[in-house]
Amino acid sequence: MSAGALLLWVVIPYVALTIFVVGHVWRYRRDQFMWTSRSTQMLESRWLRWGSTLFHYGTFLAIGGHVIGIAIPAAVPDAFGIDEEGYHLISVSAGTLAGVLVLAGFVILLYRRLRFPRVAATTTRTDLVAYGALTVALVTGVIATSGWNLFVSGYDYRETVAPWFRGIFLLDPNPELMTEPPLIYQIHALSAWLLYAVWPFTRLVHAWSFPIQYLGRPYILYRRRYAPARTGGG
Amino acid sequence: MHVKAQVGMVMNLDKCIGCHTCSVTCKQVWTNRHGAEYIWFNNVETKPGVGYPKRWEDQEEWQGGWELDRKGRLRLKAGGRLKKLLQIFWNPDLPEIDDYYEPWTYDYEKLTTAPLSEHDPVARPKSQLTGKDMSIKWGPNWDDDLAGAPEHALRDPDLEGLGEQVKLEYEQAFMFYLPRICEHCLNPSCVASCPSGAMYKREEDGIVLVDQEKCRGWRFCVSGCPYKKVYFNHNTGKAEKCTLCYPRIEAGQPTICSETCVGRLRYLGLVLYDADRVEEAASTPDEKDLLDAQLGVFLDPEDPEVRAQASRDGIPDDWIEAARRSPVHALALRYRVALPLHPEFRTLPMVWYVPPLSPVANAFEHAEPGDPDDVFPAIDALRIPVDYLANLLSAGDAEVIRGVLKRLAAMRSYMRRKEVGRRPDAGLAEAAGMEPADVEAMYRLLAIAKYEDRYVIPQAHTELAGRLMEQQGTCGLDFEGGPGNCGAVPASEPATNESFMLTDMAEGRMPAEAAANDEPDDQPLRLNIVEMLERGSRAAPEAEA
Ligand code: HEM
Ligand code: SF4
Ligand code: SF4
């Protein structure tokens, strides 16, 4: 195993994960004020409607696909009687759908950010970093899932990329697994670590604040400014 | 019964001269920052007119406030919790900046730096959103004093159903001003719409605030408020709203907008209310009964039982005493001349209005003494149609407006007769359902309007404060919930949200020990990492300077 492989497939992942975790803790503690979706809807709404909706719903589909494809070992679908070919069909079609949604949404979002001066004026440098990282991850991901499978030849990442990725989290890294996949898969894997590393410093942190607690909360909230007054009884 | 106290406001529309002093002083204190240029916590609208943002009153368009479902249960008009979470990526009911206006400034520098030339140099308008040249198409108070009324005023949602009555030709036109701030509602739909739980109503005084640290920019409060009094700061990405100047209220002082009001038309005082009955009142089936329902939620501080319960619920004695002297309670409940703005939105608003009687011409003064029948029919001949006021202040119930105008007219006639030496006419007061003594007290409150009668604001009980220590050495406007505005920002640099935060020394929930430390330098300085990434090490020292 070469030093290069070790760097690419072991060191970079752990460094990125460390930045991801420490960065989030630090940002959350230090910077609640800028922890926001930083919505630009009131500056431009027509394009955002489709851009944001397609992009976010597509992203959730894509994230779901990654979880199924990478976190779940190949043996599980096998056990349910889904063979390699069947799995391939499902993953390529669902993956392509997700890819199309995300990509369409992302293109619309980028277009409106460049086209409308009001939106462009709110773009920060960290936004550019986030868009850059997302672009690489997205484009390589779509090429790998759809392009590669449809136009070149199918590749079963479940034998290499997936176990390598799981190995990182199980503290049992196997860099040699990653020397085999086609280049596009390698770049896609690396872009993921880039995305994780910049995540805590960009607006992407808004994703962790999805307000699910809203579903179970009373509508009207009161807060006390002062400690309760001590009254007659106690 | 669960007694809570609320700081309420009443504005006497008869006295508003539309000078916009309240708007300007409020802006100067609270929203004179980048990202907040278009935001007016206080604004004054000409009625009839489209308002700010345009047609905000039309909830079929904006979906703000509450409504009753088919079973008569209260629900947010824009939809429930699940619907909101599914639409979080794009809010279908959010106004756009052009519904308010595109804020601008002028390149004034051009006037002094332009080279000598035949023609005078011109300062061109520059958009405060983009910094680029712009052509101004709409602005704050664009339709002030009925400017462009033939084109705009007929789009006023309150004119609906008035048909023939409304004429906008010069001779027959009517007009008055409507100053507006956040209503600090008893049943605030902004709070209910915020998925993050960043908005809240203060238990002690009912002030509704946005916790700037908890707000995540999901922007449902903006669309959820039917009065469109929550604004989105496009620089910070967070919601902001009128704070009822809580740092002043806590010190027993009137709000900036009240203090600086040239017409002295604002009143501030406490109302005690039964928190357990708020939802029931907001769910009243008939919109026209909402006024009485809300009055029913208010408690009478003269009632010993109410006072005893208030005390048990932790309301300090001097607050209960202040509630007895409250001008808001008097105008809304005792004299019944103040009315809530658009009660049909079901938020139980707490900024009420005395409807305008002017211009009365001679309608009342020349009536025969002792003959109320001579005075009151004139009310329907007043210039401002009763039905229009009803659409604004009583969910369309013209009888309520007639009753109020009758009491105001009776007061005028009664006092006029008394002042010009004739015998005061008790019959007039009685015909309006009032005691002569009440009429005179109401006159003192409305016409003499002494400072100490207009503002009865008990100080906050600092001895109850567990946390005041931590505010030592801080700016006093920046703590939890307030956008604050005393971060000194170098004039050379546009005030960004980042430099604003740098001055906010108090680390949100800073432990008391750290704050008690005499060395302010030891306090943790909150840095903004995004800013650091973006502007390098330059940012921190400069913004602090
Ligand atoms: C988990 C729940 C998430 C929620 C509730 C959410 C919500 C939002 C909202 C409200 C906006 C602002 C839209 C506007 O301008 O009004 C936004 C913007 C954005 N979100 Fe999310 N998001 C989530 C997850 C994600 C994820 C996982 C990603 C990327 C991997 C992402 C990437 C973005 C980007 C790039 C923008 C900026 C769009 C633009 O203005 O160009 N979001 N999101
Ligand atoms: S008027 Fe004020 S308290 Fe009422 S819903 Fe609007 S922002 Fe909230
Ligand atoms: S109460 Fe204060 S913040 Fe609210 S409108 Fe008046 S001056 Fe502005």
Side-chain angles (χ1 to χ4, degrees):
Chain A
M1 179 177 54
S2 70
L6 196 67
L7 174 72
L8 287 177
W9 312 119
V10 179
V11 177
I12 287 184
Y14 281 116
V15 169
L17 280 177
T18 309
I19 297 177
F20 182 83
V21 172
V22 176
H24 271 109
V25 171
W26 187 55
R27 173 110 189 247
Y28 191 81
R29 293 181 49 171
R30 290 301 240 175
D31 185 42
Q32 284 292 309
F33 187 62
M34 283 303 284
W35 192 293
T36 157
S37 77
R38 204 141 184 271
S39 165
T40 52
Q41 187 182 336
M42 65 172 312
L43 301 172
E44 196 291 321
S45 184
R46 244 164 46 96
W47 289 81
L48 184 82
R49 174 179 197 171
W50 296 107
S52 182
T53 310
L54 286 173
F55 174 78
H56 281 98
Y57 278 108
T59 302
F60 299 142
L61 203 59
I63 292 174
H66 280 78
V67 171
I68 293 173
I70 290 180
I72 301 178
V76 176
D78 283 354
F80 282 92
I82 301 172
D83 59 6
E84 166 62 23
E85 213 162 292
Y87 175 83
H88 197 70
L89 191 72
I90 297 171
S91 84
V92 172
S93 46
T96 303
L97 175 68
V100 167
L101 295 182
V102 182
L103 209 57
F106 194 63
V107 168
I108 295 175
L109 286 179
L110 276 186
Y111 169 77
R112 82 183 258 286
R113 219 157 245 288
L114 300 170
R115 159 79 175 65
F116 297 99
R118 291 174 178 181
V119 183
T122 68
T123 309
T124 60
R125 272 179 228 178
T126 49
D127 282 343
L128 295 180
V129 172
Y131 293 124
L134 278 172
T135 308
V136 183
L138 236 158
V139 171
T140 55
V142 169
I143 295 177
T145 310
S146 314
W148 205 260
N149 279 302
L150 295 179
F151 304 116
V152 187
S153 64
Y155 179 72
D156 189 7
Y157 54 81
R158 289 191 299 167
E159 301 300 325
T160 52
V161 184
W164 160 75
F165 192 82
R166 288 197 298 270
I168 300 280
F169 290 92
L170 299 172
L171 299 181
D172 176 24
N174 300 301
E176 58 281 2
L177 284 174
M178 278 308 280
T179 52
E180 190 199 305
L183 183 64
I184 195 76
Y185 279 90
Q186 293 181 334
I187 302 178
H188 183 62
L190 281 175
S191 73
W193 301 118
L194 174 68
L195 191 60
Y196 293 164
V198 302
W199 196 293
F201 311 105
T202 67
R203 70 150 55 166
L204 294 180
V205 294
H206 72 272
W208 310 123
S209 297
F210 185 74
I212 191 77
Q213 75 281 1
Y214 185 47
L215 293 175
R217 171 203 109 183
Y219 269 139
I220 309 298
L221 301 178
Y222 295 93
R223 286 198 203 171
R224 265 199 169 278
R225 179 153 155 62
Y226 302 137
R230 266 174 287 278
T231 51
Chain B
M1 182 160 69
H2 185 79
V3 186
K4 278 191 168 63
Q6 162 93 33
V7 179
M9 188 185 281
V10 170
M11 303 195 212
N12 183 359
L13 294 184
D14 249 337
K15 291 187 176 183
C16 183
I17 58 171
C19 67
H20 303 283
T21 306
C22 45
S23 307
V24 171
T25 50
C26 170
K27 187 166 227 338
Q28 201 65 355
V29 170
W30 290 107
T31 57
N32 195 9
R33 289 171 279 127
H34 179 50
E37 293 95 344
Y38 82 98
I39 300 175
W40 298 83
F41 289 166
N42 182 111
N43 75 299
V44 183
E45 290 168 16
T46 298
K47 286 295 186 184
V50 290
Y52 158 84
K54 290 172 204 153
R55 289 180 60 79
W56 60 269
E57 290 158 286
D58 182 359
Q59 300 316 328
E60 294 316 306
E61 184 175 349
W62 298 115
Q63 304 288 318
W66 305 86
E67 64 180 10
L68 298 183
D69 68 10
R70 256 185 260 124
K71 289 189 185 143
R73 284 171 313 197
L74 198 64
R75 67 171 179 204
L76 287 171
K77 197 167 169 68
R81 299 173 173 93
L82 190 60
K83 188 172 173 204
K84 284 217 172 57
L85 291 191
L86 292 175
Q87 293 177 330
I88 199 166
F89 312 107
W90 183 78
N91 176 347
D93 306 312
L94 194 76
E96 289 182 57
I97 189 79
D98 291 317
D99 292 311
Y100 303 85
Y101 69 97
E102 179 167 5
W104 73 88
T105 182
Y106 294 91
D107 60 343
Y108 295 107
E109 214 182 284
K110 194 73 170 285
L111 301 180
T112 52
T113 57
L116 194 64
S117 66
E118 193 183 338
H119 300 289
D120 290 341
V122 174
R124 272 184 306 184
K126 301 274 183 194
S127 165
Q128 286 175 312
L129 298 179
T130 64
K132 299 196 169 69
D133 282 335
M134 65 176 277
S135 62
I136 299 167
K137 299 208 178 67
W138 192 260
N141 303 301
W142 201 249
D143 56 352
D144 209 14
D145 294 348
L146 295 185
E151 198 181 323
H152 307 303
L154 285 174
R155 294 179 59 227
D156 180 339
D158 296 318
L159 287 174
E160 255 151 52
L162 264 69
E164 274 308 286
Q165 290 184 41
V166 176
K167 310 227 173 40
L168 289 168
E169 286 95 53
Y170 185 71
E171 295 81 1
Q172 293 123 321
F174 71 94
M175 181 190 99
F176 62 95
Y177 300 105
L178 182 72
R180 297 207 299 123
I181 69 170
C182 164
E183 299 280 346
H184 297 278
C185 308
L186 294 185
N187 185 36
S189 53
C190 57
V191 173
S193 304
C194 170
S196 303
M199 294 192 70
Y200 60 98
K201 192 169 177 64
R202 299 211 301 190
E203 288 230 3
E204 292 84 354
D205 51 19
I207 296 178
V208 175
L209 294 172
V210 185
D211 183 338
Q212 294 289 303
E213 304 240 310
K214 290 278 168 327
C215 172
R216 298 289 177 241
W218 305 131
R219 32 129 173 76
F220 282 113
C221 54
V222 178
S223 48
C225 168
Y227 301 93
K228 288 293 164 283
K229 277 294 170 189
V230 190
Y231 301 87
F232 197 80
N233 181 318
H234 52 81
N235 182 37
T236 61
K238 303 226 162 172
E240 294 186 14
K241 64 179 289 301
C242 159
T243 63
L244 204 68
C245 291
Y246 67 90
R248 287 177 62 91
I249 293 287
E250 285 170 11
Q253 294 174 349
T255 66
I256 297 284
C257 52
S258 306
E259 177 81 85
T260 59
C261 175
V262 174
R264 303 180 180 186
L265 57 92
R266 299 196 186 208
Y267 298 80
L268 282 159
L270 291 183
V271 175
L272 300 184
Y273 70 99
D274 183 356
D276 290 341
R277 298 222 312 273
V278 166
E279 187 176 337
E280 177 196 325
S283 313
T284 304
D286 187 348
E287 287 181 348
K288 293 184 176 161
D289 296 332
L290 277 162
L291 168 65
D292 282 337
Q294 186 168 359
L295 289 171
V297 172
F298 296 166
L299 298 170
D300 184 0
E302 300 303 330
D303 180 345
E305 212 162 290
V306 167
R307 287 213 295 274
Q309 183 61 38
S311 205
R312 279 194 294 275
D313 288 333
I315 299 178
D317 288 346
D318 57 337
W319 278 54
I320 299 172
E321 280 312 303
R324 299 174 81 169
R325 293 185 293 122
S326 165
V328 174
H329 186 267
L331 292 171
L333 216 65
R334 199 173 312 142
Y335 311 134
R336 300 233 170 180
V337 290
L339 297 170
L341 181 62
H342 287 299
E344 71 275 19
F345 297 164
R346 297 181 182 275
T347 61
L348 306 192
M350 287 306 292
V351 174
W352 287 32
Y353 295 88
V354 178
L357 197 54
S358 303
V360 280
N362 296 329
F364 310 118
E365 281 80 359
H366 293 313
E368 269 305 300
D371 184 4
D373 290 344
D374 216 18
V375 172
F376 299 129
I379 283 179
D380 279 307
L382 287 176
R383 198 138 181 178
I384 303 173
V386 168
D387 288 336
Y388 183 84
L389 293 174
N391 282 349
L392 195 69
L393 297 171
S394 62
D397 189 343
E399 278 318 303
V400 170
I401 304 290
R402 281 196 193 93
V404 172
L405 295 182
K406 211 167 157 179
R407 285 188 282 283
L408 292 172
M411 179 190 80
R412 282 198 195 196
S413 299
Y414 177 94
M415 288 311 297
R416 184 172 171 82
R417 269 164 217 182
K418 186 175 170 198
E419 296 298 319
V420 298
R422 282 188 260 167
R423 267 191 318 120
D425 185 350
L428 258 179
E430 273 151 30
M434 299 179 82
E435 295 291 320
D438 274 348
V439 172
E440 292 191 28
M442 183 165 107
Y443 164 79
R444 271 195 300 281
L445 194 52
L446 284 176
I448 308 296
K450 290 279 189 206
Y451 189 92
E452 58 274 16
D453 294 335
R454 274 182 285 137
Y455 309 129
V456 181
I457 310 163
Q459 287 194 14
H461 275 258
T462 47
E463 76 278 7
L464 302 180
R467 299 182 35 218
L468 272 194
M469 277 302 277
E470 49 194 78
Q471 290 153 19
Q472 269 187 5
T474 69
C475 110
L477 298 184
D478 276 349
F479 40 74
E480 191 167 68
N485 193 30
C486 41
V489 173
S492 58
E493 224 179 336
T496 64
N497 52 310
E498 292 90 354
S499 50
F500 163 60
M501 278 316 283
L502 280 169
T503 61
D504 182 0
M505 305 277 283
E507 172 88 55
R509 278 148 292 280
M510 196 166 59
E513 310 91 80
N517 193 319
D518 282 335
E519 306 270 354
D521 289 348
D522 284 358
Q523 296 186 357
L525 180 67
R526 182 159 34 190
L527 292 178
N528 182 299
I529 62 131
V530 176
E531 167 64 3
M532 280 163 62
L533 275 186
E534 272 158 24
R535 288 212 267 159
S537 52
R538 196 173 68 84
E542 214 173 89
E544 220 185 332

